[in-house]
Amino acid sequence: MKFMKLGSRPDTFYTSEAVRSVSSEVSSDLIIQVKGSRYLLHKFPLLSKCLRLQKLCAESPESSLHQIVQLPDFPGGLEAFELCAKFCYGITITLSAHNIVSARCAAEYLQMTEDVEKGNLIYKLEVFFSSCILHGWRDTIVTLQSTKAFPWSEELGITSKCIEVIASKVLIHPSKVNLSHSHSRRLKDDTSCNGVDSQRHKQATRGWWAEDVAELNIDLYWRTMIAIKSHGKVPSNLIGDALKVYASKWLPSISRNDFVDVSDSDSDKANELSAKHRLLLESLISLLPAEKGSASCSFLLKLLKAANILSASPASKMELARRVGVQLEEAMVIDLLIPSLSYTTQMVYDVDIVMTIIEHFMLQWQSPSTSPPRSRIGFERRRSRSAENIDFELQESRRSSSASHSSKLKVAKLVDRYLQEVARDVNLPLSKFTSIAESVPEFARLDHDDLYKAIDIYLKAHPNMGKSERKRLCRILDCKKLSVEACMHAAQNELLPLRVVVQVLFFEQARATMAGSKVAELPSNIKALLAAHNIDPSKPPAPLSTTTSVQADDQQSISGLKSPKSKLSTLQMKLAEDDYLNENDMHPDGMSRPSKFKAFCSLPTRPKRIFSKLWFTNRSIMEKN
């Protein structure tokens, strides 16, 4: 750190009875009061360099011995005043980045200009500031940080000059900049033994300025980052990394209880601290670059978690949710577990904000093209000009479609695992659970094992669910997409509705038959449960048998399934109607409907195709025998 010394005389200031004086053969004739402190000094050296003191002495009446001058609003305090006074006496003073701002404001207040005397203090400070302070990286940072205590530094242009210098130096290689000691040592440690920079060292070198700039308070940091971004030469990912460094340094590791269990005596202090952190957080959000991937998804979710705890503005939360949604495929389940601090609900996690994130993720792939259709002439002209451009656009479109599909597959896995975590919350409503599960497209779930596990956890955490609620919960499950292990677990799961157990058993039996393997023996408790409802899982579903007897009101639906033009929607409609029956599945006249349960609830999504394969397999085996 650079410094400058002015003056050559030794320091002769001393304190006697709470009064600061200077040793001299000449008696003092001036008393200056600065913020409650008294200085017993001499007019001649002070008034010869300070125009303000000349004016004040001319305006104030003289006493018999000492003339008194009041300086109640002196900038910089006693230290700055004493530094200016020593300069007037020719006493040696040392100037550096730590005190140059206070000295410059004090000299401006006392009007120590060239008009009063050549080579006055303001001139010397300006030369030192421009030729030394602004040429050093570390000196500029320290000087800028010290300006926050002196409003005069804004009028003098010190703050803006420091910010511009910092913004212009962030692209310079750190070898050409005087870095802080800790950062220089870290870069040295990251260098490999053979003298070649490691990959980590290269990455740290690119963002060498982030940690030094992070020492600034949020107001100065915000202005500095705006200046850096305005140059347009710093990559957006480096801006995001710098924001992460600042947040790690100044945002605390906040847990849920930090703002819940606050004593009355500390409530004002806690509110003040919370407001400070909230301002810091919202300032960081406003600095986030617009480009996708400029900040990691994990970092964005941590900011969102802090925004929830600190009660940030809804606009800040929505902005973070939108940014997370754009790159949701990069998220981890633990980052999505955002604590809920709402007074209207007792839920552990904020599932509403996660639902908003998922919606933003889905919306980015659904934006319709707004370009008008090209005329044939225009199309031919473009093709004649450059046919390769069209092929390139087609390849880019395919890549985008492939990336979209891959992202949705990852998000589907992420959502199912997230549901497994939040399903343990006893206060999580069924509607919110199903809404999150249904927000993922059906094609994105290649299997339903993780979804089944989430449903099983939810059923165990909510043992008092009614039959209709359990049916509504299990409607989001596709039994055909369960693995063998999941089917074995589901077949013995007493919490599942009976219709789901029957579907699982039938699909597993169909799968085993198609594979030519022997169907495993059912557990005794499942056999007893099925026998109580007159269900034989070893037989094909009733609608595909011409000898099956059904009730008259079901004949139309059964015949529809036999028709080659039958649609899946008809079957789904019948199953939906069955869900709205009462708890005993009774007709209005009191008659039970076991035959209808077997006819519709046991069917897979495409029954005719599966059973045609089964019949073909059985027929081939019989012909061989």
Side-chain angles (χ1 to χ4, degrees), residues 72 115 118 125 132 168 194 232 235 250 257 287 315 333 376 386 395 418 427 533 539 545 557 615:
D115 296 335
K118 294 297 181 181
L125 291 175
C132 296
S168 64
N194 57 3
W250 295 103
N257 293 331
L287 290 173
V333 174
R376 184 175 182 83
S386 177
Q395 292 176 3
Y418 172 76
N427 295 314
H533 290 79
K539 294 181 180 181
S545 174
S557 298
W615 292 339

Side-chain angles (χ1 to χ4, degrees), residues 325-358:
V326 172
Q327 52 196 89
L328 182 57
E329 66 273 13
E330 304 171 9
M332 299 177 64
V333 174
I334 190 173
D335 295 326
L336 288 175
L337 298 178
I338 302 172
S340 174
L341 299 178
S342 174
Y343 294 103
T344 59
T345 177
Q346 297 297 322
M347 289 189 298
V348 178
Y349 301 111
D350 190 344
V351 297
D352 293 327
I353 195 68
V354 174
M355 187 66 194
T356 303
I357 292 173
I358 299 173

